[in-house]
Amino acid sequence: MHYIEVQKKDFNVGYEYQQLVKDNSSDGAVVFFVGRMREFNQGQKVSALTLEHYPGMTEKLLAKIEAEAQERWPLEDSLIIHRYGRMEPGEQIVLVVTASAHRKAAFEACEFLIDWLKTKAPFWKSEETAEGTKWVEAKASDDQAADKWSEK
Amino acid sequence: MHYIEVQKKDFNVGYEYQQLVKDNSSDGAVVFFVGRMREFNQGQKVSALTLEHYPGMTEKLLAKIEAEAQERWPLEDSLIIHRYGRMEPGEQIVLVVTASAHRKAAFEACEFLIDWLKTKAPFWKSEETAEGTKWVEAKASDDQAADKWSEK
Amino acid sequence: MITVLFFASLKEQLGCNGISLSGAGINTINDIKQSLIADKPDWSKWLHKPNLLCAKNCEVVNGDCSVTSGDEVAFFPPVTGG
Amino acid sequence: MITVLFFASLKEQLGCNGISLSGAGINTINDIKQSLIADKPDWSKWLHKPNLLCAKNCEVVNGDCSVTSGDEVAFFPPVTGG
């Protein structure tokens, strides 16, 4: 199963896991990543985060990167759920699940997908802090994390 | 929260996740690994797997490796649940959850813990196949995966 | 008709989500920018930012990429990821 | 009293989960092996396997490690992990 969803509403990690693994006895390794809204970013308290995206383009690029992950690793299942809209500290933002017969492939593919999502996916963040609401600038360290995958 | 459980009964991934993240808004990244019983191992159909362990020693070594992961990476939370006893294909065997402010630490710590669990934890596997029940021998490739962490 | 969309900080700077152009005299992405600026000179500053990105029908393209009626063209700042 | 435990394939080979020894004349892990073999000569083959591991009170130790009354000593094959 290969699944992508860009949605405003929250997701249930336990439910998504059950859906993914039911009737499946070939996936020995399932790796999940859940990205959550942090209360502090670079030392500053953030009361809310709003993610804007480009509907249509987001889904297209997510499908492309998921297909790339499937080419690079022997993935039985993969799942990406990414939220947009306004979120408060502790809320879930993104879920990536990869499943494979072996753990190395599942870990690498999951890390590849989340590195891409966190840096190259067409989302724009604005943060609400005591100083007001402002758009977040792209981070160089995130780009490096995503770039390591192009060396392969 | 740092938690270890060696148990015969199954675990609920969604419940464990909820327990881990509730009232927590500093963990931006949560990584899970679920190891499940595969129907095929090295090309052979396996109808059941039995994990035997050394009660007391297992918990002691798991606590030690979890403490080591906490020293190496800035982990807010970590959780290891490992089952023993007889399991059939598709059943869950092990859950490792790591949570950190940043995803790289969470991924590396999770992979470190599962590499160790899969190779060095005091468990012994016996597999039931069409040819009967036999004890599994230690695998060299697993040892290499665990060994990469000692180079750091 | 060409649909033009603006996202994130650019959308706020222009005070506009998007606009429809007739397509007359427009052959490239750069023509769209010129047409928009001819109509609203104060958009020049924002549409000429060097790091501004552009997509045609959801694919990132350069300023000299051709456009035809029916295309959806979007302008946006560098993405900051999810 | 010294508690001696056997695990996994060794447990099956010996047909025994564990045994209690009085501790008289036992100073090291190797003394335990000799005492067990003196009592059951057919265990020699299994207790002399070169890859056999031993733990004292849940810590892996060598054959010349000292033991005293109250210790728990376990013998087992190489672990295969979870």
Side-chain angles (χ1 to χ4, degrees):
Chain A
M1 192 198 69
H2 300 286
Y3 182 81
I4 283 167
E5 197 70 55
V6 183
Q7 64 188 35
K8 194 161 185 174
K9 66 175 193 290
D10 197 10
F11 50 82
N12 180 314
V13 170
Y15 173 81
E16 299 300 337
Y17 169 71
Q18 285 306 327
Q19 291 300 107
L20 194 95
V21 303
K22 70 177 180 188
D23 306 326
N24 175 331
S25 53
S26 59
D27 286 344
V30 185
V31 175
F32 292 62
F33 177 88
V34 182
R36 298 167 71 237
M37 157 77 186
R38 279 186 299 143
E39 195 165 3
F40 287 88
N41 191 19
Q42 297 174 327
Q44 193 170 38
K45 189 166 177 166
V46 180
S47 56
L49 174 74
T50 299
L51 279 177
E52 181 173 332
H53 80 124
Y54 179 177
M57 187 169 176
T58 317
E59 289 83 351
K60 200 169 171 173
L61 290 180
L62 263 61
K64 208 168 140 187
I65 201 74
E66 199 184 45
E68 191 179 330
Q70 287 161 35
E71 261 173 46
R72 288 186 181 211
W73 291 279
L75 296 182
E76 291 287 324
D77 298 294
S78 61
L79 163 71
I80 298 172
I81 299 179
H82 207 302
R83 291 177 69 199
Y84 62 90
R86 186 173 180 280
M87 282 160 257
E88 296 189 353
E91 281 193 62
Q92 305 180 135
I93 303 173
V94 56
L95 172 67
V96 177
V97 187
T98 51
S100 176
H102 297 284
R103 68 186 183 276
K104 194 172 185 305
F107 267 111
E108 286 188 357
C110 190
E111 214 175 341
F112 166 79
L113 288 171
I114 192 65
D115 278 351
W116 185 88
L117 285 166
K118 286 284 200 177
T119 54
K120 313 268 187 186
F123 288 96
W124 299 274
K125 293 186 191 92
S126 74
E127 289 180 347
E128 296 171 34
T129 68
E131 293 166 20
T133 301
K134 70 162 204 287
W135 292 97
V136 175
E137 303 278 324
K139 263 201 297 179
S141 73
D142 268 342
D143 275 338
Q144 283 162 10
D147 283 349
K148 80 174 180 210
W149 301 106
S150 17
E151 286 159 25
K152 294 212 167 175
Chain B
M1 191 199 70
H2 300 285
Y3 183 81
I4 284 167
E5 195 70 56
V6 182
Q7 63 187 37
K8 195 162 185 174
K9 67 175 192 289
D10 198 10
F11 49 83
N12 180 314
V13 171
Y15 173 81
E16 298 300 337
Y17 169 71
Q18 285 305 328
Q19 292 300 108
L20 193 93
V21 302
K22 70 177 180 189
D23 307 325
N24 175 332
S25 53
S26 60
D27 286 344
V30 186
V31 174
F32 292 61
F33 177 88
V34 182
R36 297 167 70 237
M37 158 77 186
R38 281 187 297 142
E39 195 165 3
F40 287 87
N41 191 18
Q42 297 175 327
Q44 192 171 40
K45 190 166 177 167
V46 180
S47 56
L49 174 74
T50 299
L51 278 177
E52 180 173 332
H53 79 125
Y54 177 177
M57 186 170 179
T58 317
E59 290 83 352
K60 198 169 175 175
L61 290 179
L62 263 60
K64 207 168 143 188
I65 200 73
E66 200 183 43
E68 191 179 330
Q70 288 160 36
E71 260 174 46
R72 288 186 181 212
W73 292 279
L75 296 182
E76 290 288 324
D77 298 293
S78 61
L79 163 71
I80 299 172
I81 300 179
H82 207 303
R83 292 177 67 200
Y84 62 89
R86 187 174 180 277
M87 283 159 258
E88 296 190 352
E91 280 193 63
Q92 304 178 136
I93 302 172
V94 56
L95 172 66
V96 178
V97 187
T98 52
S100 177
H102 298 284
R103 67 185 184 278
K104 194 172 183 309
F107 267 110
E108 286 187 358
C110 191
E111 215 175 340
F112 166 79
L113 287 172
I114 191 67
D115 278 352
W116 185 89
L117 284 166
K118 286 283 198 176
T119 55
K120 313 268 186 184
F123 288 95
W124 299 274
K125 294 186 189 95
S126 74
E127 289 180 344
E128 296 171 33
T129 68
E131 292 165 20
T133 301
K134 71 164 203 289
W135 292 98
V136 175
E137 302 278 324
K139 264 201 296 180
S141 73
D142 268 342
D143 275 339
Q144 283 161 10
D147 283 348
K148 80 175 179 210
W149 301 105
S150 19
E151 287 159 23
K152 294 206 170 181
Chain C
M1 291 288 276
I2 295 165
T3 304
V4 182
L5 303 173
F6 308 117
F7 289 102
S9 53
L10 181 69
K11 179 173 72 181
E12 289 186 356
Q13 286 148 357
L14 305 184
C16 177
N17 287 346
I19 208 164
S20 287
L21 297 178
S22 72
I26 289 177
N27 296 307
T28 68
I29 297 290
N30 284 332
D31 293 343
I32 294 177
K33 285 193 188 181
Q34 284 184 354
S35 164
L36 293 170
I37 291 164
D39 199 40
K40 309 194 181 206
D42 54 327
W43 284 15
S44 169
K45 174 184 170 189
W46 307 116
L47 292 177
H48 282 138
K49 275 204 158 183
N51 63 1
L52 196 74
L53 297 174
C54 179
K56 185 181 82 171
N57 303 326
C58 298
E59 299 273 359
V60 173
V61 294
N62 291 323
D64 50 10
C65 177
S66 67
V67 283
T68 54
S69 188
D71 283 345
E72 178 180 281
V73 172
F75 294 98
F76 44 83
V79 302
T80 46
Chain D
M1 289 286 277
I2 296 166
T3 304
V4 182
L5 303 173
F6 308 116
F7 289 101
S9 52
L10 181 68
K11 179 174 70 180
E12 290 186 356
Q13 286 149 358
L14 305 184
C16 177
N17 287 346
I19 208 162
S20 286
L21 297 178
S22 73
I26 290 178
N27 297 306
T28 69
I29 298 290
N30 284 332
D31 292 344
I32 294 178
K33 284 193 189 183
Q34 286 183 353
S35 163
L36 293 170
I37 291 163
D39 198 41
K40 308 190 182 207
D42 53 330
W43 284 14
S44 170
K45 173 182 170 189
W46 307 114
L47 291 177
H48 282 138
K49 274 205 157 184
N51 62 1
L52 196 74
L53 297 173
C54 180
K56 184 181 82 171
N57 303 326
C58 298
E59 300 273 359
V60 173
V61 295
N62 292 322
D64 50 10
C65 177
S66 67
V67 284
T68 54
S69 189
D71 284 343
E72 178 181 278
V73 172
F75 294 98
F76 44 83
V79 301
T80 47

